[in-house]
Amino acid sequence: MAEINHFEYGWITPTLSYALSVLGSILGLVCAGRIRTARTHGQRAWWGLLSAWALGGTAIWAMHFMAMLGFAVENTRIRYDVPLTVASTVIAVVAVGVGLAIVGTGRLNPVRLIAGGIFTGVGVASMHYTGMAAMRLNGSLGYDTVRVVLSVVIAVVAATVALWLAMTVRRTLAIFVSALVMGVAVNGMHFTGMSALSVHRHEQATEVSGASVSTLLVPIVLAVIFGVVGLLYALLAAPTDDDRAASAYLDGRRLSEPAAPTPTAAPDPVGLRARSTLGQPGTPFPSRRDSSPR
């Protein structure tokens, strides 16, 4: 059995992975809050997609990859199968998106919350173990059944709590505290699943195929950066509840204000205004030549 090191670079990778999970949770919770205030189905779908990307893509999957940077196995290189790695990303985003759709359509009740939590939690666990299956190294992977089951239970509980928070929290402080808790839960699930792993190195070394960590690092970091910037832009550009309230107030004032009265002419009892041409724009000044008989 090969020796495994989960923290090859010390506390740098777990700290960065926790920061990513908190950042993604904050953005995901804020986007989920916009689902509740959306007026049309299209707006709800848009904010649901953004929330799923923030939670599934950043808080869960990007955190998983960042933590995997510190994973090393003695005397063997680690490569990654790109299609499986991409599939793990899609699984995470879709699982969170479906969970949000379950709890976000209709009135929130325990049945919807539990169903969404189970689906999302199993999806998150599937993402984790799909990402692990994407590893290519000179050895075979083994898992402890009890710890695998424990990691799935943690994922389901964490997903249920995350969906409940996404549908209930509104204030800024509550969102920040909830994101800190979600970060602990997501990292706890990841490292519990990693503790279940064992590697049995092959006696005869073979060539390991696949993409290296350094090859995947640049596109993943760019995707995370552009994703976060895009989420921030969407949140800042969209009108808030205060903006809608102010717009409704101004519209109400505009409709309630009386129309401006039409100006009326002053009384002219002797008809001087009809006979006078002076003082009217464009009227030439009369002269004696014009009034003399011909």
Side-chain angles (χ1 to χ4, degrees):
M1 186 178 297
E3 182 179 352
I4 296 175
N5 185 4
H6 295 285
F7 308 101
E8 185 179 16
Y9 302 105
W11 289 99
I12 296 177
T13 50
T15 301
L16 291 176
S17 64
Y18 180 74
L20 277 175
S21 61
V22 172
L23 176 61
S25 298
I26 291 175
L27 294 174
L29 291 175
V30 174
C31 291
R34 300 296 179 90
I35 299 175
R36 299 190 297 266
T37 59
R39 299 180 178 181
T40 64
H41 294 293
Q43 290 177 353
R44 294 190 188 95
W46 170 248
W47 289 115
L49 178 63
L50 293 182
S51 182
W53 173 256
L55 291 172
T58 303
I60 297 174
W61 188 87
M63 168 267 148
H64 166 83
F65 185 83
M66 183 59 64
M68 290 303 297
L69 292 179
F71 178 77
V73 180
E74 182 185 16
N75 295 329
T76 181
R77 293 181 178 181
I78 298 178
R79 296 289 186 267
Y80 290 91
D81 183 88
V82 175
L84 276 180
T85 302
V86 174
S88 66
T89 310
V90 175
I91 290 173
V93 176
V94 171
V96 175
V98 173
L100 287 171
I102 293 174
V103 301
T105 54
R107 188 175 182 179
L108 182 63
N109 56 59
V111 175
R112 287 180 178 274
L113 183 60
I114 293 174
I118 292 175
F119 186 92
T120 304
V122 172
V124 171
S126 301
M127 177 280 303
H128 175 82
Y129 290 106
T130 301
M132 298 302 296
M135 287 196 309
R136 299 290 181 262
L137 48 82
N138 187 29
S140 57
L141 306 181
Y143 294 94
D144 179 76
T145 305
V146 175
R147 295 188 181 186
V148 170
V149 173
L150 180 59
S151 67
V152 175
V153 172
I154 294 175
V156 171
V157 173
T160 304
V161 174
L163 292 176
W164 178 76
L165 292 173
M167 293 295 107
T168 55
V169 296
R170 294 178 180 270
R171 298 183 178 180
T172 304
L173 180 60
I175 290 175
F176 181 73
V177 174
S178 300
L180 295 178
V181 175
M182 290 171 62
V184 173
V186 172
N187 282 264
M189 177 268 161
H190 172 82
F191 288 106
T192 300
M194 292 301 295
S195 68
L197 176 67
S198 60
V199 178
H200 300 272
R201 194 171 60 247
H202 296 155
E203 294 294 336
Q204 188 174 5
T206 58
E207 184 68 23
V208 180
S209 61
S212 63
V213 174
S214 59
T215 303
L216 294 176
L217 185 60
V218 174
I220 290 175
V221 169
L222 290 177
V224 171
I225 292 175
F226 283 113
V228 170
V229 172
L231 289 168
L232 290 174
Y233 176 79
L235 288 170
L236 293 175
T240 63
D241 294 340
D242 294 337
D243 296 333
R244 295 191 185 96
S247 179
Y249 173 77
L250 293 176
D251 292 340
R253 286 290 301 272
R254 190 179 298 111
L255 294 175
S256 62
E257 288 179 356
T262 303
T264 57
D268 187 18
V270 295
L272 293 177
R273 186 180 298 109
R275 289 179 290 176
S276 176
T277 58
L278 293 177
Q280 299 181 6
T283 303
F285 191 84
S287 64
R288 294 181 179 180
R289 180 179 302 176
D290 295 336
S291 59
S292 61
R294 297 181 181 181

